[in-house]
Amino acid sequence: MVAVRDSHLTNPEDFDAKTWTSSLALTSTEQDELFELYTQLALKEAAESVEDEADFRFPLLAYGVEMIEILMTMDMDMDTLKVALLYPFFDAKLYDNEQIESLFGSKLLPLLVAVVEMDAIRTLQAKSQKPSETQIDNLRRMLMAIVDDVRAIVIKLAERICHLRQVKNASEEERVLAAKEIADIYSPLANRLGIGQLKWELEDLSFRYSHPDTYKQIAKLLLERRIDREEFIDSFVSQVKEGVEAAGGRVEVYGRPKHIYSIWKKMQKKNLDFTGLYDVRAVRVIAAELQDCYAALGVIHNLFRPIPSEFDDYVANPKANGYQSIHTVVAVGDESKAVEVQIRTKQMHDDAELGVAAHWRYKEGADSTKKGSYEEKIDWLRKLLAWQDDMAESGSLVDELRSQVFDDRVYVFTPKGDVVDMPQGSTPLDFAYYVHSMVGHRCIGAKISGRIVPFTYELQTGDQIEIITQKNPNPSRDWLLPNLGYVKSARARAKINTYFKRLDRDKNVAAGKDMLEGELHKLKLQLSDASCAFERFNSNTLEDLLAQVGSGDARLNQVINHIKVLLLQPTAEEEDKLALELVDQQVLKSQNQPKKKRSKDHIVVEGMGNLMTHIANCCQPIPGDDIVGYITQGRGISIHRNGCLQYADLSNRQPERIIDAVWGGDFSGGYGVTLVVHASDRSGLLRDLTTIFANDRIHVVGMNTRTDAKLQTATLEINIELYNIDTLSHLINRMSQVKGVIYAKRLK
């Protein structure tokens, strides 16, 4: 549960340092060290007169004492507490680096400097007007990158809480600016690090200054002070723990009341009024095993009256992000105060806090599905905070907490205070080309914090860069040489290459003209015909296209092939004419080739083979059709399709000549079929139909076409050779799908 501290800022005159240090949970040696440092700083403060920028006096020691009390709730080490006490004096420039090192030891100086560097970000950020979401996120990341000791972050968060308390009596403008800074940078940072002990106070104080009326309204609705709400939660936690232990279970139970900012956020998000919130008071139960979770749920429902509509089992039905927990709301006491209870195992808790369902991702509404190196490092830092006690006992705290949070990126400032995210190893020229191409082209020098640096200088996180430019662009080709180290980024290199390509444009245009003109002449085309390729190669004029060909940006063969497709492709009418010529050639070839001899047993009549048969021209049956025979005079047996109109007439007049017939099991060779296609008359129709025959390897024997100019239709009779009925069905179906075809069928 979040600790509540007594402020020493209101009456610093009544403060007794010895009593205060003795009350801290420190060893006697540590208490003596802290008291000695306090005494030394008290003498320094008495000898100096320091006035705050806001034009009102404020005791530096009381500021440091308040920071220590905040840090004590997080069990920070002794060096951190000393730095917190020293920071107000160091920030006010009452001590310089050398004095800190000589008077207080070399261990404290790096941590003090890191905290001050973080404060520099606040100053620069204030210069930037209406920062974007990307800019704000860059600032948050830079806070992590600029320090190599996570303790500096915790100290800075504690200092910002003190600052918010301090500006309580300042002007409204200063309170609003302080609140905006906290909301944009420090509250999300505390949230990402999981430092709930500090986050709630940062959010509540900033919300109080930015939305004073809303803050007072919610505070009034709560009808109780925070300390009273915490006492209520303590009582509830005790009852739950005793009930579970009495049932033979072992769980860890803790809770905290919702702070005012969190209540307001939930009201906004769910569009509810205050009476609709059930989780103003919340308790969490951590069990060892899954069965213990449901056992604890049963005990809680026996002790208190559950609210049925507010029960969710995210263990049986996890959320999409993997979050698992049992949520229930119970009414407590005569006043039926609602308490939300979350029950989960230790593993579920770790997953929710540090995994894909981490609470800070849910709070900030970020894209939590893309977990890159930045989020992994944040998770690592959060674990460090949880491990602090163990590491402090082993003496490895400083070594473990010292880290280089970002070794692959650097964060630098523009002269206006904007943060720019650059790759590690970037140079001033990379930065200049990042800002704008012309800034890079006209760059003749660079300053880092007012000091001239060479182009090969590698940018460091925290550098404030000013680019010196001349009137006319004049980049050097040497900048492109990798061994000289002028530029590291591909972006800057591409912009320099583009500049020199434009500089050599006349030479490239002439070379491209010679190359393209020669190839077009072979195709009997003019250079002006190349205009059809402008869109394909992103050119606005012929000169642009020639420059691309000359420089090699556009390959000559690609340009020529594209022009051939657009200008030399035959029209639909030409393709129809070509298709007819191919059909005529195929028919002539078929007539000149000797006809294949069919097997004698291709048709069996009345159970007998080797009889003289022929296929009737009226219906042209093919293998697979249901057939019958008709005994002719002198020409053997005529084979008809069952259902043929001519056969029906013959069977009525001379039924004695009708004879049964079937296809033999050993037949080969093709059978002629005539297809009729009725379609809208259009160019390319014949091409599309013959393409189907070619793809299916259908032999076309002949073709006859008729057109109706009045109806704009065409009728085609196509004689083909097939081997079975299945191929015919497939062919007719394909032809029916051709654009403009009204119907396609077999001629009866």
Side-chain angles (χ1 to χ4, degrees), residues 528-604:
S528 59
D529 294 327
S531 60
C532 65
F534 287 176
E535 184 177 355
R536 165 65 177 79
F537 294 95
N538 297 320
S539 301
N540 294 322
T541 64
L542 178 60
E543 194 174 83
D544 291 341
L545 181 62
L546 295 177
Q548 288 188 64
V549 173
S551 65
D553 289 341
R555 294 185 181 180
L556 179 62
N557 63 334
Q558 290 180 335
V559 176
I560 292 298
N561 288 338
H562 186 70
I563 293 172
K564 286 170 65 176
V565 169
L566 295 180
L567 299 184
L568 301 181
Q569 189 173 11
T571 63
E573 291 83 353
E574 291 172 334
E575 288 184 335
D576 280 352
K577 184 178 179 181
L578 180 62
L580 276 173
E581 291 175 355
L582 291 174
V583 169
D584 291 341
Q585 292 175 9
Q586 192 175 13
V587 171
L588 183 62
K589 183 179 179 182
S590 175
Q591 291 173 349
N592 294 332
Q593 284 182 347
K595 292 187 177 180
K596 293 181 181 179
K597 190 175 182 180
R598 295 192 181 97
S599 169
K600 292 182 178 180
D601 294 329
H602 69 290
I603 294 176
V604 178

Coordinates of all heavy atoms in Angstrom, one line a residue, residues 528-604:
S528 N 10.3 10.9 -79.4 CA 9.1 11.5 -78.8 C 8.1 10.4 -78.3 O 7.3 10.6 -77.5 CB 8.4 12.4 -79.7 OG 8.0 11.8 -80.9
D529 N 8.2 9.2 -79.0 CA 7.3 8.1 -78.6 C 7.6 7.6 -77.2 O 6.8 6.9 -76.6 CB 7.5 6.9 -79.6 CG 7.0 7.3 -81.0 OD1 6.0 8.1 -81.1 OD2 7.6 6.8 -82.0
A530 N 8.8 7.9 -76.6 CA 9.1 7.5 -75.3 C 8.3 8.2 -74.2 O 8.3 7.8 -73.0 CB 10.6 7.8 -75.0
S531 N 7.4 9.1 -74.6 CA 6.6 9.8 -73.6 C 5.6 8.9 -73.0 O 5.1 9.1 -71.8 CB 5.8 11.0 -74.3 OG 5.0 10.5 -75.3
C532 N 5.3 7.8 -73.6 CA 4.4 6.8 -73.0 C 4.9 6.1 -71.8 O 4.2 5.5 -71.0 CB 4.0 5.8 -74.1 SG 5.3 4.7 -74.6
A533 N 6.2 6.2 -71.6 CA 6.9 5.6 -70.4 C 7.1 6.5 -69.3 O 7.7 6.1 -68.2 CB 8.3 5.0 -70.9
F534 N 6.6 7.8 -69.3 CA 6.8 8.8 -68.3 C 6.2 8.3 -66.9 O 6.9 8.3 -65.9 CB 6.2 10.1 -68.6 CG 6.9 10.9 -69.7 CD1 6.4 12.1 -70.2 CD2 8.1 10.4 -70.2 CE1 7.1 12.8 -71.1 CE2 8.8 11.1 -71.2 CZ 8.3 12.3 -71.7
E535 N 5.0 7.8 -67.0 CA 4.3 7.4 -65.7 C 5.0 6.2 -65.1 O 5.2 6.2 -63.9 CB 2.8 7.1 -66.0 CG 2.0 6.7 -64.8 CD 0.6 6.5 -65.1 OE1 0.2 6.7 -66.2 OE2 -0.2 6.1 -64.1
R536 N 5.4 5.2 -65.9 CA 6.0 4.0 -65.4 C 7.3 4.4 -64.6 O 7.6 3.8 -63.6 CB 6.2 3.0 -66.5 CG 7.2 1.9 -66.2 CD 6.7 1.0 -65.2 NE 7.5 -0.1 -64.9 CZ 8.7 -0.1 -64.2 NH1 9.0 1.0 -63.6 NH2 9.4 -1.2 -64.1
F537 N 8.1 5.3 -65.1 CA 9.4 5.6 -64.6 C 9.4 7.0 -63.8 O 10.5 7.6 -63.6 CB 10.5 5.6 -65.7 CG 10.7 4.3 -66.3 CD1 10.0 3.9 -67.4 CD2 11.5 3.3 -65.7 CE1 10.2 2.6 -68.0 CE2 11.7 2.1 -66.2 CZ 11.0 1.7 -67.4
N538 N 8.2 7.4 -63.4 CA 8.1 8.6 -62.5 C 8.8 9.9 -63.1 O 9.6 10.6 -62.4 CB 8.6 8.4 -61.1 CG 7.9 7.3 -60.4 OD1 6.6 7.2 -60.5 ND2 8.6 6.4 -59.7
S539 N 8.7 10.1 -64.4 CA 9.3 11.2 -65.1 C 8.2 12.2 -65.5 O 7.1 11.8 -65.9 CB 10.1 10.8 -66.3 OG 11.1 9.9 -65.9
N540 N 8.5 13.5 -65.4 CA 7.5 14.5 -65.8 C 7.8 14.9 -67.3 O 6.9 15.4 -68.0 CB 7.6 15.7 -64.9 CG 7.1 15.3 -63.5 OD1 6.1 14.6 -63.4 ND2 7.8 15.9 -62.5
T541 N 9.0 14.9 -67.7 CA 9.4 15.3 -69.1 C 10.3 14.3 -69.7 O 10.8 13.4 -69.0 CB 10.1 16.7 -69.0 OG1 11.4 16.5 -68.3 CG2 9.3 17.7 -68.3
L542 N 10.5 14.4 -71.0 CA 11.4 13.5 -71.7 C 12.8 13.7 -71.2 O 13.6 12.7 -71.1 CB 11.4 13.8 -73.2 CG 12.3 13.0 -74.1 CD1 12.0 11.5 -74.0 CD2 12.2 13.5 -75.6
E543 N 13.2 14.9 -70.8 CA 14.5 15.1 -70.3 C 14.8 14.4 -69.0 O 15.8 13.8 -68.7 CB 14.7 16.6 -70.1 CG 16.2 17.0 -69.8 CD 16.3 18.5 -69.7 OE1 16.1 19.1 -68.7 OE2 16.7 19.2 -70.8
D544 N 13.7 14.3 -68.1 CA 13.8 13.5 -66.9 C 14.1 12.1 -67.2 O 14.9 11.4 -66.5 CB 12.5 13.6 -66.1 CG 12.3 15.0 -65.5 OD1 13.3 15.8 -65.4 OD2 11.2 15.4 -65.1
L545 N 13.4 11.5 -68.2 CA 13.5 10.1 -68.5 C 14.9 9.8 -69.1 O 15.6 8.9 -68.7 CB 12.5 9.7 -69.5 CG 12.5 8.2 -70.0 CD1 12.3 7.3 -68.8 CD2 11.5 8.0 -71.1
L546 N 15.4 10.8 -69.9 CA 16.7 10.6 -70.5 C 17.8 10.7 -69.4 O 18.8 9.9 -69.5 CB 17.0 11.7 -71.6 CG 16.1 11.6 -72.8 CD1 16.4 12.8 -73.7 CD2 16.3 10.3 -73.5
A547 N 17.6 11.6 -68.4 CA 18.6 11.7 -67.3 C 18.6 10.4 -66.5 O 19.7 9.9 -66.1 CB 18.2 12.9 -66.4
Q548 N 17.5 9.8 -66.3 CA 17.4 8.5 -65.6 C 18.1 7.4 -66.3 O 18.9 6.6 -65.7 CB 16.0 8.1 -65.3 CG 15.3 8.9 -64.3 CD 13.9 8.4 -63.9 OE1 13.8 7.3 -63.4 NE2 12.8 9.1 -64.3
V549 N 17.9 7.3 -67.7 CA 18.6 6.3 -68.4 C 20.1 6.6 -68.4 O 20.9 5.6 -68.3 CB 18.0 6.3 -69.9 CG1 18.9 5.4 -70.8 CG2 16.6 5.9 -69.9
G550 N 20.5 7.8 -68.6 CA 21.9 8.1 -68.6 C 22.7 7.9 -67.3 O 23.8 7.5 -67.3
S551 N 22.0 8.1 -66.2 CA 22.6 7.9 -64.9 C 22.5 6.5 -64.4 O 23.2 6.1 -63.4 CB 22.0 8.8 -63.8 OG 20.6 8.4 -63.6
G552 N 21.7 5.7 -65.1 CA 21.5 4.3 -64.7 C 20.4 4.0 -63.7 O 20.2 2.9 -63.3
D553 N 19.7 5.1 -63.3 CA 18.5 4.9 -62.4 C 17.4 4.1 -63.1 O 16.7 3.4 -62.4 CB 18.0 6.3 -61.9 CG 19.0 6.9 -61.0 OD1 19.8 6.2 -60.4 OD2 18.9 8.1 -60.8
A554 N 17.3 4.2 -64.4 CA 16.3 3.5 -65.2 C 17.1 2.7 -66.2 O 17.8 3.2 -67.0 CB 15.3 4.4 -65.9
R555 N 16.9 1.3 -66.2 CA 17.6 0.5 -67.1 C 17.1 0.6 -68.5 O 15.8 0.7 -68.7 CB 17.6 -1.0 -66.7 CG 18.3 -1.2 -65.4 CD 18.3 -2.7 -65.0 NE 19.0 -2.9 -63.8 CZ 19.2 -4.1 -63.2 NH1 18.6 -5.2 -63.9 NH2 19.8 -4.3 -62.1
L556 N 18.0 0.7 -69.5 CA 17.6 0.9 -70.9 C 16.6 -0.2 -71.4 O 15.6 0.1 -72.0 CB 18.8 0.9 -71.8 CG 18.5 1.1 -73.3 CD1 17.8 2.5 -73.6 CD2 19.8 1.1 -74.1
N557 N 16.9 -1.5 -71.1 CA 16.1 -2.6 -71.6 C 14.7 -2.6 -71.0 O 13.7 -2.9 -71.6 CB 16.8 -3.9 -71.4 CG 17.0 -4.2 -69.9 OD1 17.1 -3.3 -69.1 ND2 17.0 -5.5 -69.6
Q558 N 14.6 -2.1 -69.7 CA 13.3 -2.0 -69.1 C 12.4 -0.9 -69.8 O 11.2 -1.1 -70.0 CB 13.4 -1.6 -67.6 CG 14.0 -2.8 -66.8 CD 14.1 -2.4 -65.3 OE1 14.2 -1.2 -65.0 NE2 14.1 -3.4 -64.4
V559 N 13.0 0.2 -70.1 CA 12.3 1.3 -70.8 C 11.9 0.8 -72.2 O 10.7 1.0 -72.6 CB 13.2 2.6 -70.9 CG1 12.5 3.7 -71.7 CG2 13.6 3.1 -69.5
I560 N 12.8 0.2 -73.0 CA 12.4 -0.3 -74.3 C 11.3 -1.3 -74.3 O 10.4 -1.2 -75.1 CB 13.7 -0.8 -75.0 CG1 14.7 0.3 -75.3 CG2 13.3 -1.5 -76.3 CD1 14.2 1.4 -76.2
N561 N 11.4 -2.3 -73.4 CA 10.4 -3.3 -73.3 C 9.0 -2.7 -72.9 O 8.0 -3.1 -73.5 CB 10.7 -4.3 -72.2 CG 11.9 -5.2 -72.7 OD1 12.1 -5.4 -73.9 ND2 12.6 -5.8 -71.7
H562 N 9.0 -1.7 -72.1 CA 7.7 -1.0 -71.7 C 7.1 -0.3 -72.9 O 5.9 -0.4 -73.1 CB 8.0 -0.1 -70.5 CG 6.7 0.5 -70.0 ND1 5.8 -0.2 -69.3 CD2 6.2 1.8 -70.1 CE1 4.8 0.6 -68.9 NE2 5.0 1.8 -69.4
I563 N 8.0 0.3 -73.7 CA 7.5 1.1 -74.9 C 7.0 0.1 -75.9 O 5.9 0.3 -76.6 CB 8.6 1.9 -75.5 CG1 9.0 3.1 -74.5 CG2 8.2 2.5 -76.8 CD1 10.2 3.9 -74.9
K564 N 7.6 -1.1 -76.1 CA 7.2 -2.1 -77.0 C 5.8 -2.6 -76.6 O 4.9 -2.8 -77.5 CB 8.2 -3.2 -77.1 CG 9.5 -2.9 -77.8 CD 10.5 -3.9 -77.6 CE 10.2 -5.2 -78.3 NZ 11.2 -6.2 -78.1
V565 N 5.6 -2.8 -75.4 CA 4.3 -3.3 -74.9 C 3.2 -2.4 -75.2 O 2.1 -2.7 -75.7 CB 4.3 -3.7 -73.4 CG1 2.9 -4.0 -72.9 CG2 5.2 -4.9 -73.2
L566 N 3.5 -1.1 -75.0 CA 2.4 0.0 -75.2 C 2.2 0.3 -76.7 O 1.1 0.6 -77.1 CB 2.8 1.2 -74.4 CG 2.8 1.1 -72.9 CD1 3.2 2.4 -72.2 CD2 1.5 0.6 -72.3
L567 N 3.3 0.4 -77.5 CA 3.1 0.9 -78.8 C 3.2 -0.1 -79.9 O 2.6 0.1 -81.0 CB 4.3 1.9 -79.1 CG 4.3 3.2 -78.2 CD1 5.4 4.1 -78.6 CD2 3.0 3.9 -78.2
L568 N 3.8 -1.3 -79.7 CA 3.9 -2.3 -80.7 C 3.0 -3.5 -80.6 O 3.2 -4.5 -81.3 CB 5.4 -2.7 -80.9 CG 6.4 -1.6 -81.2 CD1 7.8 -2.2 -81.3 CD2 6.0 -0.8 -82.4
Q569 N 2.2 -3.5 -79.6 CA 1.3 -4.6 -79.4 C 0.1 -4.6 -80.4 O -0.4 -3.5 -80.7 CB 0.7 -4.5 -78.0 CG -0.1 -5.7 -77.5 CD -0.6 -5.7 -76.1 OE1 -0.4 -4.6 -75.5 NE2 -1.1 -6.8 -75.6
P570 N -0.2 -5.7 -81.0 CA -1.2 -5.7 -82.1 C -2.6 -5.4 -81.5 O -2.9 -5.7 -80.3 CB -1.2 -7.2 -82.6 CG -0.6 -8.0 -81.5 CD 0.4 -7.0 -80.8
T571 N -3.5 -4.8 -82.3 CA -4.8 -4.4 -81.9 C -5.7 -5.7 -81.9 O -5.3 -6.7 -82.4 CB -5.4 -3.4 -82.8 OG1 -5.6 -4.0 -84.1 CG2 -4.6 -2.1 -82.9
A572 N -6.9 -5.5 -81.3 CA -7.8 -6.7 -81.2 C -8.2 -7.1 -82.6 O -8.3 -8.3 -82.9 CB -9.0 -6.3 -80.4
E573 N -8.4 -6.1 -83.6 CA -8.8 -6.5 -84.9 C -7.7 -7.3 -85.6 O -7.9 -8.3 -86.3 CB -9.1 -5.2 -85.8 CG -10.4 -4.5 -85.4 CD -10.2 -3.6 -84.2 OE1 -9.1 -3.6 -83.6 OE2 -11.1 -2.9 -83.8
E574 N -6.4 -6.8 -85.4 CA -5.3 -7.5 -86.0 C -5.2 -9.0 -85.4 O -4.8 -9.9 -86.1 CB -4.0 -6.8 -85.7 CG -3.9 -5.4 -86.5 CD -2.8 -4.6 -86.1 OE1 -2.3 -4.7 -84.9 OE2 -2.3 -3.8 -86.9
E575 N -5.4 -9.1 -84.1 CA -5.4 -10.4 -83.5 C -6.5 -11.3 -84.0 O -6.3 -12.5 -84.1 CB -5.5 -10.3 -81.9 CG -4.2 -9.7 -81.3 CD -4.2 -9.6 -79.8 OE1 -5.4 -9.6 -79.3 OE2 -3.2 -9.6 -79.2
D576 N -7.7 -10.8 -84.2 CA -8.7 -11.6 -84.8 C -8.4 -12.1 -86.2 O -8.6 -13.3 -86.6 CB -10.0 -10.8 -84.9 CG -10.8 -10.7 -83.6 OD1 -10.4 -11.4 -82.7 OD2 -11.7 -9.9 -83.5
K577 N -7.8 -11.2 -87.0 CA -7.3 -11.6 -88.4 C -6.3 -12.7 -88.3 O -6.3 -13.7 -89.1 CB -6.8 -10.4 -89.1 CG -6.4 -10.6 -90.5 CD -5.9 -9.3 -91.2 CE -5.5 -9.6 -92.6 NZ -5.0 -8.4 -93.3
L578 N -5.3 -12.5 -87.3 CA -4.3 -13.5 -87.2 C -4.9 -14.9 -86.7 O -4.5 -15.9 -87.2 CB -3.3 -13.0 -86.1 CG -2.1 -13.9 -85.8 CD1 -1.3 -14.2 -87.1 CD2 -1.2 -13.4 -84.7
A579 N -5.9 -14.8 -85.9 CA -6.6 -16.0 -85.4 C -7.2 -16.8 -86.5 O -7.1 -18.0 -86.6 CB -7.6 -15.7 -84.3
L580 N -7.9 -16.0 -87.5 CA -8.5 -16.7 -88.6 C -7.5 -17.3 -89.5 O -7.7 -18.4 -90.1 CB -9.3 -15.6 -89.4 CG -10.7 -15.3 -88.9 CD1 -11.4 -14.2 -89.7 CD2 -11.6 -16.6 -89.0
E581 N -6.3 -16.6 -89.7 CA -5.3 -17.2 -90.5 C -4.8 -18.5 -89.9 O -4.5 -19.5 -90.6 CB -4.2 -16.2 -90.7 CG -4.5 -15.0 -91.5 CD -3.4 -13.9 -91.6 OE1 -2.4 -14.1 -90.9 OE2 -3.6 -12.9 -92.2
L582 N -4.6 -18.5 -88.6 CA -4.1 -19.7 -88.0 C -5.1 -20.9 -88.1 O -4.8 -22.0 -88.3 CB -3.9 -19.5 -86.5 CG -2.7 -18.5 -86.2 CD1 -2.6 -18.2 -84.7 CD2 -1.4 -19.2 -86.6
V583 N -6.5 -20.5 -88.0 CA -7.5 -21.6 -88.2 C -7.4 -22.2 -89.6 O -7.5 -23.4 -89.8 CB -8.9 -21.0 -87.9 CG1 -10.0 -22.0 -88.3 CG2 -9.0 -20.7 -86.4
D584 N -7.3 -21.3 -90.6 CA -7.2 -21.7 -92.0 C -6.0 -22.6 -92.2 O -6.1 -23.6 -92.9 CB -7.2 -20.5 -93.0 CG -8.5 -19.7 -93.0 OD1 -9.5 -20.3 -92.6 OD2 -8.4 -18.6 -93.4
Q585 N -4.9 -22.3 -91.6 CA -3.7 -23.1 -91.7 C -3.9 -24.4 -91.1 O -3.5 -25.5 -91.6 CB -2.5 -22.4 -91.1 CG -2.1 -21.1 -91.8 CD -1.0 -20.4 -91.0 OE1 -0.4 -20.9 -90.1 NE2 -0.6 -19.2 -91.5
Q586 N -4.6 -24.4 -90.0 CA -4.9 -25.7 -89.2 C -5.8 -26.6 -90.1 O -5.6 -27.8 -90.1 CB -5.5 -25.4 -87.9 CG -5.5 -26.6 -86.9 CD -6.0 -26.2 -85.6 OE1 -6.5 -25.1 -85.4 NE2 -5.8 -27.1 -84.6
V587 N -6.8 -26.0 -90.7 CA -7.8 -26.8 -91.5 C -7.0 -27.4 -92.7 O -7.2 -28.6 -93.1 CB -8.9 -25.9 -92.0 CG1 -9.8 -26.6 -93.0 CG2 -9.8 -25.5 -90.8
L588 N -6.2 -26.6 -93.4 CA -5.4 -27.0 -94.6 C -4.5 -28.2 -94.2 O -4.4 -29.2 -94.9 CB -4.7 -25.9 -95.2 CG -3.9 -26.2 -96.4 CD1 -4.8 -26.7 -97.6 CD2 -3.1 -25.0 -96.9
K589 N -3.9 -28.0 -93.0 CA -3.0 -29.1 -92.5 C -3.7 -30.4 -92.2 O -3.3 -31.5 -92.5 CB -2.2 -28.6 -91.3 CG -1.2 -29.5 -90.7 CD -0.5 -28.9 -89.5 CE 0.5 -29.9 -88.9 NZ 1.1 -29.4 -87.7
S590 N -4.9 -30.2 -91.7 CA -5.7 -31.4 -91.3 C -6.2 -32.1 -92.6 O -6.2 -33.3 -92.6 CB -7.0 -30.9 -90.5 OG -7.8 -32.0 -90.3
Q591 N -6.5 -31.3 -93.7 CA -6.9 -32.0 -94.9 C -5.8 -32.7 -95.6 O -6.1 -33.7 -96.3 CB -7.5 -30.9 -95.8 CG -8.8 -30.3 -95.3 CD -9.3 -29.1 -96.2 OE1 -8.6 -28.6 -97.0 NE2 -10.5 -28.7 -96.0
N592 N -4.6 -32.2 -95.5 CA -3.5 -32.8 -96.1 C -2.9 -34.0 -95.4 O -2.2 -34.8 -96.0 CB -2.3 -31.8 -96.3 CG -2.7 -30.7 -97.3 OD1 -3.6 -30.9 -98.2 ND2 -2.2 -29.5 -97.1
Q593 N -3.2 -34.2 -94.1 CA -2.8 -35.3 -93.3 C -3.7 -36.5 -93.6 O -4.9 -36.4 -93.7 CB -2.7 -34.9 -91.8 CG -1.6 -34.0 -91.5 CD -1.6 -33.8 -90.0 OE1 -2.5 -34.0 -89.3 NE2 -0.5 -33.2 -89.5
P594 N -3.1 -37.7 -93.6 CA -3.9 -38.9 -93.8 C -4.7 -39.1 -92.5 O -4.3 -38.9 -91.4 CB -2.9 -40.0 -93.9 CG -1.6 -39.5 -93.3 CD -1.6 -38.0 -93.6
K595 N -6.0 -39.5 -92.7 CA -6.9 -39.6 -91.6 C -6.5 -40.9 -90.8 O -6.2 -41.9 -91.3 CB -8.3 -39.7 -92.0 CG -8.9 -38.4 -92.6 CD -10.3 -38.6 -92.9 CE -10.9 -37.2 -93.4 NZ -12.3 -37.3 -93.7
K596 N -6.6 -40.7 -89.5 CA -6.3 -41.8 -88.6 C -7.4 -42.9 -88.7 O -8.5 -42.6 -88.8 CB -6.2 -41.4 -87.1 CG -5.0 -40.5 -86.9 CD -5.0 -40.1 -85.4 CE -3.8 -39.1 -85.2 NZ -3.8 -38.7 -83.8
K597 N -6.9 -44.1 -88.8 CA -7.9 -45.2 -88.9 C -8.4 -45.6 -87.5 O -7.6 -45.9 -86.6 CB -7.2 -46.4 -89.5 CG -8.1 -47.5 -89.9 CD -7.4 -48.6 -90.7 CE -8.3 -49.7 -91.1 NZ -7.6 -50.8 -91.8
R598 N -9.7 -45.6 -87.4 CA -10.3 -45.9 -86.1 C -10.3 -47.4 -85.9 O -10.3 -48.2 -86.8 CB -11.8 -45.4 -86.0 CG -11.9 -43.9 -86.1 CD -13.3 -43.5 -85.7 NE -13.4 -42.0 -85.7 CZ -13.9 -41.4 -86.8 NH1 -14.3 -42.0 -87.8 NH2 -14.1 -40.1 -86.7
S599 N -10.3 -47.7 -84.7 CA -10.4 -49.1 -84.3 C -11.7 -49.7 -84.8 O -12.8 -49.0 -84.8 CB -10.3 -49.3 -82.8 OG -10.7 -50.6 -82.4
K600 N -11.7 -50.9 -85.3 CA -12.9 -51.6 -85.9 C -14.0 -51.7 -84.8 O -15.1 -51.8 -85.1 CB -12.5 -52.9 -86.5 CG -11.7 -52.8 -87.7 CD -11.4 -54.2 -88.3 CE -10.6 -54.1 -89.5 NZ -10.3 -55.4 -90.1
D601 N -13.6 -51.8 -83.6 CA -14.5 -52.1 -82.5 C -14.9 -50.8 -81.8 O -15.2 -50.8 -80.6 CB -13.9 -53.1 -81.5 CG -13.7 -54.5 -82.2 OD1 -14.5 -54.8 -83.1 OD2 -12.8 -55.1 -81.7
H602 N -14.9 -49.7 -82.5 CA -15.3 -48.4 -81.8 C -16.7 -48.3 -81.5 O -17.2 -47.6 -80.6 CB -14.8 -47.2 -82.6 CG -15.6 -47.0 -83.9 ND1 -15.4 -47.8 -85.0 CD2 -16.4 -46.0 -84.3 CE1 -16.2 -47.4 -86.0 NE2 -16.8 -46.3 -85.6
I603 N -17.6 -49.1 -82.3 CA -19.1 -49.1 -82.0 C -19.5 -50.6 -82.1 O -19.1 -51.3 -83.0 CB -19.9 -48.3 -83.0 CG1 -19.5 -46.8 -82.9 CG2 -21.4 -48.5 -82.9 CD1 -20.2 -45.9 -83.9
V604 N -20.3 -51.0 -81.1 CA -20.9 -52.3 -81.0 C -22.4 -52.3 -81.3 O -23.1 -51.5 -80.5 CB -20.6 -53.0 -79.7 CG1 -21.2 -54.4 -79.6 CG2 -19.1 -53.0 -79.4

